[in-house]
mmCIF file of all heavy atoms in Angstrom:
data_model
loop_
_atom_site.group_PDB
_atom_site.id
_atom_site.type_symbol
_atom_site.label_atom_id
_atom_site.label_comp_id
_atom_site.label_asym_id
_atom_site.label_seq_id
_atom_site.Cartn_x
_atom_site.Cartn_y
_atom_site.Cartn_z
ATOM 1 N N LYS Y 126 8.394 16.255 15.791
ATOM 2 C CA LYS Y 126 9.107 16.012 14.538
ATOM 3 C C LYS Y 126 10.527 15.573 14.872
ATOM 4 O O LYS Y 126 11.496 16.325 14.733
ATOM 5 C CB LYS Y 126 9.098 17.269 13.673
ATOM 6 C CG LYS Y 126 7.714 17.750 13.296
ATOM 7 C CD LYS Y 126 6.994 16.769 12.380
ATOM 8 C CE LYS Y 126 5.669 17.308 11.884
ATOM 9 N NZ LYS Y 126 4.974 16.396 10.965
ATOM 10 N N THR Y 127 10.648 14.336 15.321
ATOM 11 C CA THR Y 127 11.929 13.818 15.774
ATOM 12 C C THR Y 127 12.223 12.477 15.109
ATOM 13 O O THR Y 127 11.320 11.790 14.599
ATOM 14 C CB THR Y 127 11.930 13.610 17.295
ATOM 15 O OG1 THR Y 127 10.957 12.602 17.633
ATOM 16 C CG2 THR Y 127 11.607 14.905 18.029
ATOM 17 N N ILE Y 128 13.492 12.114 15.148
ATOM 18 C CA ILE Y 128 13.899 10.809 14.628
ATOM 19 C C ILE Y 128 13.212 9.698 15.407
ATOM 20 O O ILE Y 128 12.753 8.695 14.842
ATOM 21 C CB ILE Y 128 15.433 10.672 14.697
ATOM 22 C CG1 ILE Y 128 16.094 11.619 13.687
ATOM 23 C CG2 ILE Y 128 15.863 9.226 14.454
ATOM 24 C CD1 ILE Y 128 17.595 11.738 13.831
ATOM 25 N N GLU Y 129 13.099 9.887 16.711
ATOM 26 C CA GLU Y 129 12.441 8.876 17.557
ATOM 27 C C GLU Y 129 10.985 8.692 17.156
ATOM 28 O O GLU Y 129 10.478 7.561 17.111
ATOM 29 C CB GLU Y 129 12.547 9.286 19.029
ATOM 30 C CG GLU Y 129 13.946 9.246 19.605
ATOM 31 C CD GLU Y 129 14.836 10.401 19.151
ATOM 32 O OE1 GLU Y 129 14.288 11.426 18.667
ATOM 33 O OE2 GLU Y 129 16.070 10.284 19.263
ATOM 34 N N SER Y 130 10.294 9.794 16.851
ATOM 35 C CA SER Y 130 8.891 9.700 16.433
ATOM 36 C C SER Y 130 8.756 8.947 15.114
ATOM 37 O O SER Y 130 7.857 8.109 14.948
ATOM 38 C CB SER Y 130 8.289 11.097 16.292
ATOM 39 O OG SER Y 130 8.138 11.720 17.535
ATOM 40 N N ALA Y 131 9.635 9.262 14.164
ATOM 41 C CA ALA Y 131 9.573 8.589 12.864
ATOM 42 C C ALA Y 131 9.783 7.086 13.022
ATOM 43 O O ALA Y 131 9.031 6.272 12.455
ATOM 44 C CB ALA Y 131 10.618 9.186 11.926
ATOM 45 N N ASN Y 132 10.787 6.705 13.794
ATOM 46 C CA ASN Y 132 11.048 5.276 14.001
ATOM 47 C C ASN Y 132 9.890 4.592 14.722
ATOM 48 O O ASN Y 132 9.496 3.474 14.374
ATOM 49 C CB ASN Y 132 12.336 5.093 14.804
ATOM 50 C CG ASN Y 132 13.580 5.395 13.985
ATOM 51 O OD1 ASN Y 132 13.578 5.259 12.769
ATOM 52 N ND2 ASN Y 132 14.645 5.808 14.647
ATOM 53 N N GLN Y 133 9.328 5.267 15.733
ATOM 54 C CA GLN Y 133 8.240 4.671 16.507
ATOM 55 C C GLN Y 133 6.985 4.511 15.679
ATOM 56 O O GLN Y 133 6.291 3.491 15.760
ATOM 57 C CB GLN Y 133 7.947 5.513 17.746
ATOM 58 C CG GLN Y 133 6.988 4.847 18.724
ATOM 59 C CD GLN Y 133 7.567 3.569 19.296
ATOM 60 O OE1 GLN Y 133 8.649 3.569 19.885
ATOM 61 N NE2 GLN Y 133 6.857 2.449 19.134
ATOM 62 N N PHE Y 134 6.673 5.529 14.862
ATOM 63 C CA PHE Y 134 5.488 5.466 14.011
ATOM 64 C C PHE Y 134 5.588 4.279 13.047
ATOM 65 O O PHE Y 134 4.637 3.511 12.879
ATOM 66 C CB PHE Y 134 5.357 6.780 13.238
ATOM 67 C CG PHE Y 134 4.083 6.925 12.451
ATOM 68 C CD1 PHE Y 134 2.956 7.493 13.023
ATOM 69 C CD2 PHE Y 134 4.013 6.498 11.132
ATOM 70 C CE1 PHE Y 134 1.792 7.635 12.288
ATOM 71 C CE2 PHE Y 134 2.844 6.631 10.394
ATOM 72 C CZ PHE Y 134 1.733 7.209 10.979
ATOM 73 N N GLY Y 135 6.777 4.118 12.425
ATOM 74 C CA GLY Y 135 6.966 3.001 11.501
ATOM 75 C C GLY Y 135 6.913 1.661 12.185
ATOM 76 O O GLY Y 135 6.326 0.694 11.663
ATOM 77 N N GLU Y 136 7.511 1.579 13.378
ATOM 78 C CA GLU Y 136 7.472 0.332 14.132
ATOM 79 C C GLU Y 136 6.051 -0.013 14.546
ATOM 80 O O GLU Y 136 5.638 -1.182 14.466
ATOM 81 C CB GLU Y 136 8.366 0.454 15.369
ATOM 82 C CG GLU Y 136 8.415 -0.805 16.211
ATOM 83 C CD GLU Y 136 9.326 -0.669 17.428
ATOM 84 O OE1 GLU Y 136 10.314 0.081 17.340
ATOM 85 O OE2 GLU Y 136 9.024 -1.312 18.463
ATOM 86 N N ASP Y 137 5.283 0.990 14.960
ATOM 87 C CA ASP Y 137 3.896 0.741 15.359
ATOM 88 C C ASP Y 137 3.058 0.261 14.171
ATOM 89 O O ASP Y 137 2.184 -0.603 14.333
ATOM 90 C CB ASP Y 137 3.287 2.009 15.952
ATOM 91 C CG ASP Y 137 3.849 2.346 17.325
ATOM 92 O OD1 ASP Y 137 4.526 1.490 17.929
ATOM 93 O OD2 ASP Y 137 3.621 3.490 17.786
ATOM 94 N N LEU Y 138 3.322 0.831 12.998
ATOM 95 C CA LEU Y 138 2.612 0.367 11.797
ATOM 96 C C LEU Y 138 2.946 -1.098 11.523
ATOM 97 O O LEU Y 138 2.053 -1.915 11.250
ATOM 98 C CB LEU Y 138 2.979 1.233 10.600
ATOM 99 C CG LEU Y 138 2.456 0.754 9.235
ATOM 100 C CD1 LEU Y 138 0.932 0.689 9.219
ATOM 101 C CD2 LEU Y 138 2.965 1.655 8.109
ATOM 102 N N ALA Y 139 4.228 -1.447 11.591
ATOM 103 C CA ALA Y 139 4.634 -2.829 11.360
ATOM 104 C C ALA Y 139 3.990 -3.779 12.366
ATOM 105 O O ALA Y 139 3.530 -4.876 12.005
ATOM 106 C CB ALA Y 139 6.156 -2.936 11.416
ATOM 107 N N LYS Y 140 3.935 -3.376 13.631
ATOM 108 C CA LYS Y 140 3.315 -4.221 14.654
ATOM 109 C C LYS Y 140 1.830 -4.432 14.366
ATOM 110 O O LYS Y 140 1.302 -5.547 14.543
ATOM 111 C CB LYS Y 140 3.501 -3.597 16.033
ATOM 112 C CG LYS Y 140 4.920 -3.682 16.559
ATOM 113 C CD LYS Y 140 5.050 -3.003 17.922
ATOM 114 C CE LYS Y 140 6.459 -3.129 18.485
ATOM 115 N NZ LYS Y 140 6.593 -2.421 19.781
ATOM 116 N N GLU Y 141 1.146 -3.381 13.917
ATOM 117 C CA GLU Y 141 -0.272 -3.507 13.589
ATOM 118 C C GLU Y 141 -0.468 -4.448 12.401
ATOM 119 O O GLU Y 141 -1.391 -5.277 12.382
ATOM 120 C CB GLU Y 141 -0.858 -2.136 13.275
ATOM 121 C CG GLU Y 141 -2.343 -2.153 12.926
ATOM 122 C CD GLU Y 141 -3.218 -2.687 14.044
ATOM 123 O OE1 GLU Y 141 -2.909 -2.405 15.225
ATOM 124 O OE2 GLU Y 141 -4.198 -3.395 13.746
ATOM 125 N N VAL Y 142 0.402 -4.327 11.403
ATOM 126 C CA VAL Y 142 0.337 -5.211 10.230
ATOM 127 C C VAL Y 142 0.542 -6.665 10.651
ATOM 128 O O VAL Y 142 -0.221 -7.565 10.262
ATOM 129 C CB VAL Y 142 1.396 -4.791 9.188
ATOM 130 C CG1 VAL Y 142 1.580 -5.873 8.128
ATOM 131 C CG2 VAL Y 142 0.999 -3.475 8.526
ATOM 132 N N LEU Y 143 1.554 -6.921 11.453
ATOM 133 C CA LEU Y 143 1.864 -8.293 11.847
ATOM 134 C C LEU Y 143 0.794 -8.867 12.770
ATOM 135 O O LEU Y 143 0.491 -10.070 12.698
ATOM 136 C CB LEU Y 143 3.230 -8.336 12.525
ATOM 137 C CG LEU Y 143 4.409 -8.022 11.595
ATOM 138 C CD1 LEU Y 143 5.705 -7.925 12.381
ATOM 139 C CD2 LEU Y 143 4.525 -9.071 10.499
ATOM 140 N N ASN Y 144 0.225 -8.052 13.620
ATOM 141 C CA ASN Y 144 -0.872 -8.510 14.473
ATOM 142 C C ASN Y 144 -2.081 -8.902 13.627
ATOM 143 O O ASN Y 144 -2.725 -9.928 13.872
ATOM 144 C CB ASN Y 144 -1.260 -7.407 15.457
ATOM 145 C CG ASN Y 144 -2.380 -7.848 16.387
ATOM 146 O OD1 ASN Y 144 -2.237 -8.795 17.155
ATOM 147 N ND2 ASN Y 144 -3.514 -7.147 16.321
ATOM 148 N N SER Y 145 -2.364 -8.085 12.604
ATOM 149 C CA SER Y 145 -3.500 -8.372 11.733
ATOM 150 C C SER Y 145 -3.269 -9.636 10.906
ATOM 151 O O SER Y 145 -4.147 -10.503 10.806
ATOM 152 C CB SER Y 145 -3.764 -7.183 10.810
ATOM 153 O OG SER Y 145 -4.807 -7.464 9.901
ATOM 154 N N VAL Y 146 -2.079 -9.755 10.335
ATOM 155 C CA VAL Y 146 -1.826 -10.877 9.428
ATOM 156 C C VAL Y 146 -1.643 -12.188 10.189
ATOM 157 O O VAL Y 146 -1.757 -13.274 9.602
ATOM 158 C CB VAL Y 146 -0.594 -10.576 8.541
ATOM 159 C CG1 VAL Y 146 0.724 -10.865 9.260
ATOM 160 C CG2 VAL Y 146 -0.664 -11.333 7.220
ATOM 161 N N SER Y 147 -1.418 -12.128 11.504
ATOM 162 C CA SER Y 147 -1.316 -13.362 12.294
ATOM 163 C C SER Y 147 -2.640 -14.110 12.330
ATOM 164 O O SER Y 147 -2.672 -15.316 12.597
ATOM 165 C CB SER Y 147 -0.854 -13.038 13.721
ATOM 166 O OG SER Y 147 -1.861 -12.315 14.422
ATOM 167 N N GLU Y 148 -3.732 -13.391 12.065
ATOM 168 C CA GLU Y 148 -5.054 -14.015 12.032
ATOM 169 C C GLU Y 148 -5.646 -13.971 10.624
ATOM 170 O O GLU Y 148 -6.860 -14.028 10.443
ATOM 171 C CB GLU Y 148 -5.982 -13.309 13.016
ATOM 172 C CG GLU Y 148 -5.488 -13.359 14.460
ATOM 173 C CD GLU Y 148 -6.399 -12.621 15.419
ATOM 174 O OE1 GLU Y 148 -7.372 -12.000 14.948
ATOM 175 O OE2 GLU Y 148 -6.139 -12.667 16.632
ATOM 176 N N ALA Y 149 -4.768 -13.858 9.632
ATOM 177 C CA ALA Y 149 -5.226 -13.708 8.247
ATOM 178 C C ALA Y 149 -5.812 -15.001 7.710
ATOM 179 O O ALA Y 149 -5.481 -16.097 8.160
ATOM 180 C CB ALA Y 149 -4.060 -13.273 7.362
ATOM 181 N N LYS Y 150 -6.675 -14.848 6.722
ATOM 182 C CA LYS Y 150 -7.207 -16.023 6.042
ATOM 183 C C LYS Y 150 -6.352 -16.337 4.828
ATOM 184 O O LYS Y 150 -5.818 -15.442 4.163
ATOM 185 C CB LYS Y 150 -8.663 -15.792 5.616
ATOM 186 C CG LYS Y 150 -8.844 -14.752 4.512
ATOM 187 C CD LYS Y 150 -10.274 -14.754 3.993
ATOM 188 C CE LYS Y 150 -10.450 -13.794 2.820
ATOM 189 N NZ LYS Y 150 -11.792 -13.874 2.225
ATOM 190 N N GLN Y 151 -6.212 -17.614 4.543
ATOM 191 C CA GLN Y 151 -5.450 -18.032 3.380
ATOM 192 C C GLN Y 151 -6.316 -17.949 2.132
ATOM 193 O O GLN Y 151 -7.493 -18.321 2.145
ATOM 194 C CB GLN Y 151 -4.949 -19.460 3.546
ATOM 195 C CG GLN Y 151 -4.111 -19.959 2.376
ATOM 196 C CD GLN Y 151 -3.588 -21.362 2.599
ATOM 197 O OE1 GLN Y 151 -3.637 -21.882 3.724
ATOM 198 N NE2 GLN Y 151 -3.069 -21.975 1.550
ATOM 199 N N MET Y 152 -5.756 -17.436 1.047
ATOM 200 C CA MET Y 152 -6.474 -17.410 -0.221
ATOM 201 C C MET Y 152 -6.421 -18.806 -0.842
ATOM 202 O O MET Y 152 -5.347 -19.387 -0.991
ATOM 203 C CB MET Y 152 -5.853 -16.388 -1.182
ATOM 204 C CG MET Y 152 -6.029 -14.956 -0.759
ATOM 205 S SD MET Y 152 -5.717 -13.770 -2.101
ATOM 206 C CE MET Y 152 -4.010 -14.094 -2.505
ATOM 207 N N MET Y 153 -7.578 -19.326 -1.216
ATOM 208 C CA MET Y 153 -7.642 -20.664 -1.802
ATOM 209 C C MET Y 153 -7.434 -20.634 -3.307
ATOM 210 O O MET Y 153 -7.033 -21.628 -3.906
ATOM 211 C CB MET Y 153 -8.993 -21.314 -1.473
ATOM 212 C CG MET Y 153 -9.221 -21.500 0.021
ATOM 213 S SD MET Y 153 -7.849 -22.361 0.843
ATOM 214 C CE MET Y 153 -7.911 -23.941 0.024
ATOM 215 N N VAL Y 154 -7.734 -19.497 -3.934
ATOM 216 C CA VAL Y 154 -7.550 -19.353 -5.376
ATOM 217 C C VAL Y 154 -6.619 -18.180 -5.607
ATOM 218 O O VAL Y 154 -6.802 -17.109 -5.032
ATOM 219 C CB VAL Y 154 -8.893 -19.121 -6.098
ATOM 220 C CG1 VAL Y 154 -8.683 -18.953 -7.593
ATOM 221 C CG2 VAL Y 154 -9.836 -20.279 -5.818
ATOM 222 N N VAL Y 155 -5.618 -18.370 -6.445
ATOM 223 C CA VAL Y 155 -4.565 -17.360 -6.562
ATOM 224 C C VAL Y 155 -4.279 -16.992 -8.019
ATOM 225 O O VAL Y 155 -3.154 -16.767 -8.411
ATOM 226 C CB VAL Y 155 -3.269 -17.834 -5.864
ATOM 227 C CG1 VAL Y 155 -3.423 -17.797 -4.371
ATOM 228 C CG2 VAL Y 155 -2.869 -19.229 -6.342
ATOM 229 N N GLU Y 156 -5.303 -16.924 -8.819
ATOM 230 C CA GLU Y 156 -5.110 -16.493 -10.198
ATOM 231 C C GLU Y 156 -4.499 -15.092 -10.261
ATOM 232 O O GLU Y 156 -4.693 -14.273 -9.363
ATOM 233 C CB GLU Y 156 -6.453 -16.441 -10.921
ATOM 234 C CG GLU Y 156 -7.074 -17.779 -11.235
ATOM 235 C CD GLU Y 156 -8.371 -17.563 -12.010
ATOM 236 O OE1 GLU Y 156 -9.295 -16.955 -11.440
ATOM 237 O OE2 GLU Y 156 -8.432 -17.974 -13.175
ATOM 238 N N ILE Y 157 -3.795 -14.826 -11.345
ATOM 239 C CA ILE Y 157 -3.288 -13.484 -11.617
ATOM 240 C C ILE Y 157 -3.953 -12.969 -12.881
ATOM 241 O O ILE Y 157 -4.038 -13.681 -13.890
ATOM 242 C CB ILE Y 157 -1.758 -13.483 -11.788
ATOM 243 C CG1 ILE Y 157 -1.071 -13.826 -10.460
ATOM 244 C CG2 ILE Y 157 -1.254 -12.132 -12.308
ATOM 245 C CD1 ILE Y 157 0.429 -13.980 -10.564
ATOM 246 N N ALA Y 158 -4.454 -11.735 -12.826
ATOM 247 C CA ALA Y 158 -5.027 -11.085 -14.005
ATOM 248 C C ALA Y 158 -4.506 -9.655 -14.047
ATOM 249 O O ALA Y 158 -4.147 -9.080 -13.022
ATOM 250 C CB ALA Y 158 -6.555 -11.110 -13.954
ATOM 251 N N PHE Y 159 -4.504 -9.061 -15.251
ATOM 252 C CA PHE Y 159 -3.883 -7.742 -15.398
ATOM 253 C C PHE Y 159 -4.535 -6.991 -16.550
ATOM 254 O O PHE Y 159 -4.761 -7.534 -17.613
ATOM 255 C CB PHE Y 159 -2.381 -7.910 -15.684
ATOM 256 C CG PHE Y 159 -1.582 -6.651 -15.562
ATOM 257 C CD1 PHE Y 159 -0.887 -6.380 -14.403
ATOM 258 C CD2 PHE Y 159 -1.527 -5.734 -16.602
ATOM 259 C CE1 PHE Y 159 -0.138 -5.218 -14.274
ATOM 260 C CE2 PHE Y 159 -0.788 -4.572 -16.489
ATOM 261 C CZ PHE Y 159 -0.086 -4.307 -15.317
ATOM 262 N N ASN Y 160 -4.828 -5.724 -16.313
ATOM 263 C CA ASN Y 160 -5.279 -4.798 -17.353
ATOM 264 C C ASN Y 160 -4.550 -3.473 -17.193
ATOM 265 O O ASN Y 160 -4.188 -3.089 -16.074
ATOM 266 C CB ASN Y 160 -6.788 -4.522 -17.257
ATOM 267 C CG ASN Y 160 -7.628 -5.670 -17.752
ATOM 268 O OD1 ASN Y 160 -7.210 -6.443 -18.610
ATOM 269 N ND2 ASN Y 160 -8.828 -5.797 -17.206
ATOM 270 N N ARG Y 161 -4.374 -2.768 -18.276
ATOM 271 C CA ARG Y 161 -3.816 -1.417 -18.192
ATOM 272 C C ARG Y 161 -4.398 -0.562 -19.296
ATOM 273 O O ARG Y 161 -4.951 -1.061 -20.279
ATOM 274 C CB ARG Y 161 -2.300 -1.424 -18.282
ATOM 275 C CG ARG Y 161 -1.762 -1.824 -19.665
ATOM 276 C CD ARG Y 161 -0.617 -0.945 -20.064
ATOM 277 N NE ARG Y 161 -0.093 -1.336 -21.375
ATOM 278 C CZ ARG Y 161 0.977 -0.793 -21.927
ATOM 279 N NH1 ARG Y 161 1.632 0.144 -21.287
ATOM 280 N NH2 ARG Y 161 1.384 -1.178 -23.122
ATOM 281 N N LYS Y 162 -4.252 0.739 -19.152
ATOM 282 C CA LYS Y 162 -4.770 1.674 -20.144
ATOM 283 C C LYS Y 162 -3.828 2.857 -20.253
ATOM 284 O O LYS Y 162 -3.460 3.470 -19.248
ATOM 285 C CB LYS Y 162 -6.164 2.169 -19.751
ATOM 286 C CG LYS Y 162 -6.809 3.115 -20.764
ATOM 287 C CD LYS Y 162 -8.207 3.494 -20.322
ATOM 288 C CE LYS Y 162 -8.859 4.455 -21.310
ATOM 289 N NZ LYS Y 162 -9.046 3.872 -22.650
ATOM 290 N N LEU Y 163 -3.423 3.170 -21.479
ATOM 291 C CA LEU Y 163 -2.673 4.390 -21.736
ATOM 292 C C LEU Y 163 -3.653 5.547 -21.759
ATOM 293 O O LEU Y 163 -4.772 5.409 -22.259
ATOM 294 C CB LEU Y 163 -1.929 4.295 -23.067
ATOM 295 C CG LEU Y 163 -0.929 3.141 -23.198
ATOM 296 C CD1 LEU Y 163 -0.317 3.120 -24.600
ATOM 297 C CD2 LEU Y 163 0.158 3.233 -22.149
ATOM 298 N N ILE Y 164 -3.244 6.671 -21.210
ATOM 299 C CA ILE Y 164 -4.171 7.793 -21.070
ATOM 300 C C ILE Y 164 -3.411 9.098 -21.226
ATOM 301 O O ILE Y 164 -2.219 9.182 -20.910
ATOM 302 C CB ILE Y 164 -4.880 7.730 -19.689
ATOM 303 C CG1 ILE Y 164 -5.968 8.790 -19.578
ATOM 304 C CG2 ILE Y 164 -3.897 7.824 -18.553
ATOM 305 C CD1 ILE Y 164 -6.833 8.628 -18.333
ATOM 306 N N LYS Y 165 -4.105 10.113 -21.722
ATOM 307 C CA LYS Y 165 -3.548 11.461 -21.808
ATOM 308 C C LYS Y 165 -4.376 12.391 -20.929
ATOM 309 O O LYS Y 165 -5.600 12.430 -21.040
ATOM 310 C CB LYS Y 165 -3.556 11.971 -23.249
ATOM 311 C CG LYS Y 165 -2.489 11.336 -24.133
ATOM 312 C CD LYS Y 165 -2.428 12.022 -25.490
ATOM 313 C CE LYS Y 165 -1.299 11.444 -26.331
ATOM 314 N NZ LYS Y 165 -1.197 12.150 -27.646
ATOM 315 N N PHE Y 166 -3.694 13.102 -20.052
ATOM 316 C CA PHE Y 166 -4.348 14.110 -19.225
ATOM 317 C C PHE Y 166 -4.076 15.490 -19.809
ATOM 318 O O PHE Y 166 -2.945 15.787 -20.195
ATOM 319 C CB PHE Y 166 -3.819 14.083 -17.789
ATOM 320 C CG PHE Y 166 -4.217 12.878 -16.998
ATOM 321 C CD1 PHE Y 166 -3.256 12.101 -16.362
ATOM 322 C CD2 PHE Y 166 -5.554 12.516 -16.866
ATOM 323 C CE1 PHE Y 166 -3.609 11.005 -15.613
ATOM 324 C CE2 PHE Y 166 -5.918 11.410 -16.119
ATOM 325 C CZ PHE Y 166 -4.947 10.655 -15.500
ATOM 326 N N PRO Y 167 -5.089 16.359 -19.892
ATOM 327 C CA PRO Y 167 -4.829 17.733 -20.331
ATOM 328 C C PRO Y 167 -3.974 18.468 -19.303
ATOM 329 O O PRO Y 167 -4.160 18.304 -18.096
ATOM 330 C CB PRO Y 167 -6.227 18.342 -20.425
ATOM 331 C CG PRO Y 167 -7.082 17.504 -19.532
ATOM 332 C CD PRO Y 167 -6.505 16.121 -19.572
ATOM 333 N N VAL Y 168 -3.019 19.264 -19.784
ATOM 334 C CA VAL Y 168 -2.173 20.067 -18.900
ATOM 335 C C VAL Y 168 -2.759 21.476 -18.874
ATOM 336 O O VAL Y 168 -2.535 22.279 -19.772
ATOM 337 C CB VAL Y 168 -0.713 20.087 -19.375
ATOM 338 C CG1 VAL Y 168 0.143 20.928 -18.435
ATOM 339 C CG2 VAL Y 168 -0.166 18.666 -19.467
ATOM 340 N N GLU Y 169 -3.553 21.752 -17.844
ATOM 341 C CA GLU Y 169 -4.231 23.045 -17.729
ATOM 342 C C GLU Y 169 -3.454 24.035 -16.870
ATOM 343 O O GLU Y 169 -3.834 25.195 -16.764
ATOM 344 C CB GLU Y 169 -5.628 22.827 -17.140
ATOM 345 C CG GLU Y 169 -6.475 21.846 -17.966
ATOM 346 C CD GLU Y 169 -7.749 21.438 -17.270
ATOM 347 O OE1 GLU Y 169 -8.759 22.153 -17.425
ATOM 348 O OE2 GLU Y 169 -7.734 20.398 -16.569
ATOM 349 N N ASN Y 170 -2.376 23.552 -16.277
ATOM 350 C CA ASN Y 170 -1.536 24.381 -15.418
ATOM 351 C C ASN Y 170 -0.279 24.768 -16.194
ATOM 352 O O ASN Y 170 0.561 23.910 -16.511
ATOM 353 C CB ASN Y 170 -1.180 23.599 -14.149
ATOM 354 C CG ASN Y 170 -0.430 24.422 -13.131
ATOM 355 O OD1 ASN Y 170 0.183 25.428 -13.453
ATOM 356 N ND2 ASN Y 170 -0.452 23.967 -11.879
ATOM 357 N N GLU Y 171 -0.109 26.057 -16.482
ATOM 358 C CA GLU Y 171 1.012 26.515 -17.296
ATOM 359 C C GLU Y 171 2.357 26.280 -16.615
ATOM 360 O O GLU Y 171 3.393 26.205 -17.297
ATOM 361 C CB GLU Y 171 0.846 27.999 -17.622
ATOM 362 C CG GLU Y 171 -0.281 28.303 -18.592
ATOM 363 C CD GLU Y 171 -0.066 27.665 -19.963
ATOM 364 O OE1 GLU Y 171 1.085 27.681 -20.445
ATOM 365 O OE2 GLU Y 171 -1.041 27.143 -20.529
#
C-alpha cells in the first residue's frame, strides 16, 4: 500500500489499454442512440 504501487498499477493499466487499442478496429458506423428511465428504489435500510 504505497504511492509507488498506486502509480505503477495505473501506469500498467494505461500501457495495457494503449497496447490493446494499437490494434483496434475502426467503427464504420457511428450512430448515437440514447434511452433512460426514471426509477424508484424502496429504502429498506433504516
Side-chain angles (χ1 to χ4, degrees):
K126 300 294 186 178
T127 64
I128 291 170
E129 292 75 18
S130 291
N132 287 333
Q133 189 63 57
F134 187 90
E136 181 179 329
D137 288 347
L138 172 60
K140 288 178 178 178
E141 180 61 37
V142 166
L143 293 173
N144 181 62
S145 176
V146 82
S147 68
E148 300 178 356
K150 68 171 184 175
Q151 181 178 347
M152 292 196 299
M153 298 308 297
V154 179
V155 288
E156 288 183 297
I157 293 174
F159 193 98
N160 285 332
R161 69 138 179 185
K162 182 177 179 63
L163 301 177
I164 187 171
K165 286 188 176 182
F166 290 127
V168 180
E169 303 170 87
N170 186 338
E171 290 297 319

